[in-house]
Every structure is written in structure tokens, then in C-alpha cells.
Amino acid sequence: MPADLAALLYLVSGIFFILALRGLSSPETSRQGNYLGMVGMAVAICTTLLFVKMDGTGFALIVGAVAIGGGIGAIIAHRIPMTNMPQLVAAFHSLVGLCAVLVAAAALYEPAAFHIATPAGKLKSLSLVELALGATIGAITFSGSVIAFMKLQGLMSGAPIIFNGRHRLNLALGAAIIVFIVFLTVSSGDVKMAFWIITLIALVLGVMLIIPIGGADMPVVVSMLNSYSGWAAAALGFTLDNNALLITGALVGSSGAILSYIMCKGMNRSFISVIMGGFGADASEAAAGASMDRAARQGSAEDAAFIMKNAGKVIIAPGYGMAVAQAQHALKDMAENLKAQGVDVSYAIHPVAGRMPGHMNVLLAEAQVPYDEVFELEDINSAFATADVAFVIGANDVTNPAAEDDPASPIYGMPVLQVWKAKTVFFVKRSLASGYAGVENPLFFRDNTMMLLGDARKMSESIVKALG
Amino acid sequence: MEAVDPFIFRLAIFVLAVFVGYYVVWSVTPALHTPLMSVTNAISSVIIVGALAAAGAAAANPANPFGKSVGALAVLLASINIFGGFLVTQRMLAMYRKKDTVDVKLKAGE
């Protein structure tokens, strides 16, 4: 009876999580959604504390661990700058992955604690397979997220690391994992070493899967690891026979998968080609030399201020460069100033602008830009033709017309913001170098383009000054 | 007919939840994709239920409480994620404002 009640409460918790995600369909309901998520988590934790028989040391351990972990989490959440969200999310994914490995290990060593042991005190074969899968996906999530974190944090180069035969090596590692899972199952979980070998191989595989993927593909990587962390939780939900874990794992797994799909579509690349990696490695060297023989028109902050002041409609297209320069507040000041002078200002966001899904939206929200001034690619692309100014700040590849008219371009077919249709295009950039995809942007050399070379924040501040 | 294996029921819940997730996540507005990632991160830490059971239950062999130690470490990691994930999501969502509310705040002299 208590077990049935617990199972029902876990189901309730899972439903709260579904409602939490449902809340994110609009910013108005999102805050309430987040609270429902917290309630769901509280239900799951209280249910476990009430229904699992605990000894005194166990309870003390739990209280201590929650206090320390919760404190660390709260401090991080409070202090982290919004520009570092991609790293933070990657770091959090790694914790979920590691947690999955640890829980799988605990289930292997102490099946009785989870009431999943057979009368002989062993685990069922099916449980062993589920548990090993959970540990495998968890370990891949952990080491992959650590690499993603290091790339995003700048602790290692964002450039893809590629060597010959890596696909064969990855396949071999995958095959080895399967062999050891079979071995673990056949031994009815007695050969615990097999579990650790599986975990170790999966850790290596996680590193191998992420190092060949370049910086610009990070939105896909972060979404993909999000998805993996969900599948790891779901696998353990099977082992532990827990509805909250099963439902949540499925939700998170499909959420990450959908985000990966949206990001891939935003780059017009297949998921497989992103996973295979290596994009943007060789092309950049070839393109670097080519741009020298053409001249781009450069302008000053004063020129930009004058033209925008007299414009009727300005569309701002932000990119990763805005995040790096922390330019969102200065940009917002510029937009407010223009609006005060009667200019219609809106923002255009490309799905893969930045380093994670929705990265630009969060930064603009941080700068108190109302979200109803911020538009997605498909909603605003037709508006560039009627705009007087397109103000591109820290974005490059996502505005490249070669994606539409040059079949030889590596990014051909990728949906782009049609900024060139505006009467004047301003490019705030540090240099004329090509973007992360390593592709030259012909837009720099067009007659109606003016380059504003410099740091995105300083340039925005100078424009605000010039606007008076 | 013999009784259905409980695994099949679990599988059914899982498959249906994948479908629920599919439809719910497609309806998430792209502007909130970053909070979506941080909140899914927080809820996937519900794996803490496994960690709590491992840390709390009496060890089968008290001389070597491996499961307990591993469980306690997992509780700690999951707690970082739960508190960090929900609170950072809350912080982000609090920043999303509509035009009118921002204007009201500006007029109020903030």
C-alpha cells in the first residue's frame, strides 16, 4: 500500500513538471510554470523521504548534502552573469550526468535499498541492462558537458580537434560498451568491475564526441547534452521503477532533441553532420587571404548616429559579439534614445545567434528590452525591405547573403536575416575577419554597408553620446 | 493470458511522456529557449530520488557503506542542480517584461 501511494505521488510530481514546461509557452505564464516545477520537485523529494526507510546516519547525511549542495546552487544562481548562461547550463548538465552514474552504481551495490533486488539479493537482467545504459549515457553526458563547458568558458580552444580514424575509434568504443553490458548482465551483476569499465569507456566516448565540434555549433551541442541528461534519467527511472524519473527523463530528452533539431535547421545542417564535427576548421584559412583585395566602407559613431536619428525604422540584429562585449545595456540605451526621437526600433533574432538556444533573448531581457520588441527570424525577415537601417551588432554568418545566392558557399541554404534589404546596413565588428563558420561575408563590401569597427559596447556608447 | 510484465507498463508511461514532451516543448516560445534549458536541467535532477534512497537506506554491509557514500555525493550534486537550476530560471524569467510594464517602471522613475 505505501508503495502504491508513493508511486501515485511520483506521478503527481511528473505532472507538475509537465505543467512547468507548459508554462514556458509565454513569458506571462512562465514564472508560474517555474513555481510548479519547484512544487513537483518538493513532492518528489518529500515522497522519497517519507517512504524510504532511513537510518539516522542516512538522514543526517542527506540533510548535510542538501544544505551544502543547495547553498552552492543558490549562490551560483544568484551570482552568475547572464552572458555566462551557456557555460552554466553545460556545467549543470555535467552534474546530472555524474549523478546518474553515481545512482546507477549505488543501485548495483545496494539493490535492496531500492527494493529492486530478487529474493536472492541480486538484480534482474533487465534492471542491469537499464542501469548500465543509464550509467553509459550519464558518463557521456558528464565528460561531454565538461568539454563543452571548457570550450564555452574559453579554458580550451573552440576550434574542432580532429584526427584520422576518429569515427572508427568511436564505433569501437561503442561496441566495447555493448560487450561489457552483456558481460555485466550475464554475470548477474557480480562482476562489478564491468560496470566501472563501461563507465570509463563512456567517459572517453563523451570527450571524443564533443572535441571535434567547433564553437559555432555549440548551440547544438548544449541542446544535445540536455537531451542526453534526460535519457540518462529515464533509463534509471526504468531501473528504479519510478514514475517521476521516467516522465521527467522523457520530457527532458525530447526537449533537448527538439532544441537540437531547431538549431540544426537554423544552420541548414543535418544533425549527423554537426555530430561528425570539423565544421569551420579549414575554410577559415582559405577565406582569410581572399578579403584583402576589396575595400569596405568604414564609418564613425557620429555617422551612424546621424543616419539612424533621421531614419523611420531601425532593426537591430544582435549576435554572439554582443554577448562577448556585454553590449546589451549600451545597445538598449541607444534604442531608447532613438525611440525617444520617434524612430521605430525592433530586434531580429536568428535561431542560432549566440552560443545556446534563446541566448540573445535572455541578454536583451536582462537589459530590460520588452520582449514584444524582439522578433524571431521568420516573423521579421520581410520587414528588412521596409527598414531604413539594419544595425548588425556582433553577428556575421547569420546575415551572410551568400547563404541565399552562392551555391558554392559552405553555408548555402542556411536561413539568414536579410539585413541587406534595408537601405543602410551598419556592421559593428571588431575586425573584417570572417565569422565562426570561416566564411567571408560579401555584405561588408556592398555600397549600402558601413562598417563600424570597434568593441560592440564602446561603439554603442559612442553612438548614444553622438545622439545627444 | 499470462500477466503483463511491469516493464511494459513502464515503457508505456515512458513512450507517452515522450509524446507529451514533444507537443509541450514545441509550444515553448523561442524567446524562452534558454530558460527552457535551465528548467529542464533543474527537473532532470529529480534523479535525486534515487540518490536519497541510496544515501538514506541502511547499508547491507555496514562495514563498507559504499552505496551510502555514493548516494550522499549524488544528493549533493543533484541539490546544486535543483537549487541552481530553479533559481537561475526564476532570475531569468523575472527579466522578461512587456512594453507597458517596462514603460510604467520607467515613468515611476526607476
Side-chain angles (χ1 to χ4, degrees):
Chain A
M1 179 56 195
D4 293 341
L5 184 57
L8 283 176
L9 286 171
Y10 285 131
L11 178 65
V12 169
S13 154
I15 289 168
F16 272 114
F17 292 147
I18 294 173
L19 294 175
L21 297 193
R22 184 77 188 94
L24 290 173
S25 56
S26 91
E28 285 104 84
T29 54
S30 62
R31 285 175 275 267
Q32 193 200 359
N34 195 40
Y35 289 123
L36 292 177
M38 294 182 197
V39 172
M41 187 59 75
V43 169
I45 292 176
C46 292
T47 306
T48 312
L49 291 178
L50 284 175
F51 288 94
V52 173
K53 270 202 202 101
M54 298 203 179
D55 57 5
T57 42
F59 195 74
L61 267 179
I62 288 170
V63 171
V66 170
I68 298 173
I72 297 174
I75 291 171
I76 294 175
H78 187 67
R79 295 220 178 131
I80 188 90
M82 282 300 143
T83 35
N84 290 354
M85 276 314 292
Q87 292 90 304
L88 181 70
V89 167
F92 278 167
H93 287 156
S94 76
L95 294 184
V96 178
L98 188 54
C99 213
V101 175
L102 295 176
V103 171
L108 179 68
Y109 280 80
E110 304 270 358
F114 298 94
H115 307 289
I116 51 172
T118 58
K122 302 205 168 183
L123 279 161
K124 279 186 280 187
S125 316
L126 191 57
S127 300
L128 280 167
V129 174
E130 293 157 359
L131 172 159
L133 275 179
T136 305
I137 307 171
I140 291 176
T141 311
F142 171 67
S143 59
S145 298
V146 169
I147 299 293
F149 171 82
M150 288 167 66
K151 286 193 174 196
L152 289 164
Q153 181 73 26
L155 297 175
M156 67 184 275
S157 156
I161 299 171
I162 303 168
F163 55 88
N164 283 334
R166 68 199 148 94
H167 298 315
R168 251 172 292 165
L169 178 63
N170 289 348
L171 280 178
L173 290 173
I177 288 175
I178 295 172
V179 168
F180 280 102
I181 290 180
V182 171
F183 188 63
L184 180 73
T185 315
V186 171
S187 78
S188 343
D190 285 341
V191 186
K192 305 235 182 328
M193 188 47 85
F195 174 84
W196 296 110
I197 295 174
I198 292 168
T199 306
L200 193 69
I201 301 175
L203 286 173
V204 176
L205 187 59
V207 174
M208 296 294 303
L209 285 175
I210 306 301
I211 53 170
I213 306 182
D217 288 341
M218 273 302 150
V220 183
V221 170
V222 176
S223 320
M224 188 178 80
L225 292 168
N226 184 240
S227 180
Y228 288 176
S229 68
W231 302 132
L236 288 168
F238 277 102
T239 318
L240 307 184
D241 192 8
N242 184 303
N243 284 338
L245 262 177
L246 269 178
I247 295 174
T248 315
L251 289 178
V252 177
S254 48
S255 166
I258 289 172
L259 288 176
S260 313
Y261 169 79
I262 295 174
M263 294 301 112
C264 288
K265 220 176 97 206
M267 297 190 292
N268 187 41
R269 301 183 54 209
S270 75
F271 187 63
I272 299 295
S273 88
V274 174
I275 299 298
M276 293 298 197
F279 193 64
D282 332 300
S284 54
E285 288 148 31
S291 58
M292 297 306 164
D293 50 352
R294 280 191 286 173
R297 194 157 60 108
Q298 288 193 27
S300 66
E302 287 73 25
D303 300 333
F306 179 76
I307 294 175
M308 284 199 281
K309 200 157 48 173
N310 294 301
K313 184 165 159 185
V314 172
I315 301 178
I316 299 172
Y320 184 56
M322 178 187 83
V324 173
Q326 305 255 23
Q328 64 272 29
H329 300 282
L331 184 68
K332 150 91 189 267
D333 291 343
M334 184 189 95
E336 284 303 318
N337 201 314
L338 287 171
K339 278 199 290 188
Q341 311 205 26
V343 183
D344 174 18
V345 182
S346 48
Y347 298 81
I349 310 288
H350 191 279
V352 295
R355 283 293 178 268
M356 73 182 293
H359 194 184
M360 294 296 115
N361 302 78
V362 169
L363 295 181
L364 291 176
E366 187 197 14
Q368 292 202 318
V369 172
Y371 61 80
D372 33 10
E373 286 177 10
V374 182
F375 298 92
E376 302 301 317
L377 171 91
E378 58 265 34
D379 297 327
I380 201 168
N381 230 357
S382 56
F384 281 109
T386 60
D388 299 294
V389 173
F391 187 82
V392 184
I393 177 161
N396 183 1
D397 295 329
V398 297
T399 64
N400 195 333
E404 290 194 351
D405 55 25
D406 178 9
S409 170
I411 59 169
Y412 182 68
M414 167 171 146
V416 284
L417 293 165
Q418 297 168 333
V419 293
W420 61 88
K421 292 196 173 161
K423 284 202 193 82
T424 309
V425 184
F426 289 114
F427 260 99
V428 182
K429 258 184 123 287
R430 272 178 302 193
S431 70
L432 286 173
S434 51
Y436 276 93
V439 187
E440 184 184 306
N441 193 341
L443 206 51
F444 298 167
F445 311 104
R446 291 207 179 169
D447 294 336
N448 64 339
T449 301
M450 194 181 272
M451 303 300 296
L452 304 171
L453 295 184
D455 175 77
R457 188 171 71 188
K458 290 199 186 106
M459 183 55 74
S460 306
E461 285 166 352
S462 312
I463 294 174
V464 173
K465 240 180 251 160
L467 283 169
Chain B
M1 203 169 87
E2 53 189 318
V4 178
D5 191 301
F7 172 79
I8 304 301
F9 286 107
R10 274 171 241 162
L11 188 66
I13 292 174
F14 174 72
V15 171
L16 292 174
V18 168
F19 275 88
V20 171
Y22 180 86
Y23 288 106
V24 169
V25 171
W26 269 117
S27 74
V28 171
T29 169
L32 294 177
H33 276 164
T34 299
L36 171 68
M37 302 205 81
S38 61
V39 86
T40 50
N41 206 120
I43 66 173
S44 59
S45 312
V46 75
I47 198 154
I48 196 173
V49 297
L52 289 171
N61 172 12
N64 179 21
F66 177 75
K68 234 176 163 55
S69 341
V70 168
L73 180 58
V75 170
L76 190 134
L77 297 178
S79 304
I80 297 181
N81 241 333
I82 292 172
F83 282 77
F86 280 123
L87 291 177
V88 87
T89 309
Q90 192 180 17
R91 203 178 127 201
M92 270 191 273
L93 293 176
M95 301 184 314
Y96 283 81
R97 294 272 178 240
K98 239 185 156 144
K99 209 179 280 173
D100 337 334
T101 50
V102 172
D103 288 346
V104 168
K105 273 173 79 180
L106 287 176
K107 270 174 204 149
E110 198 171 308

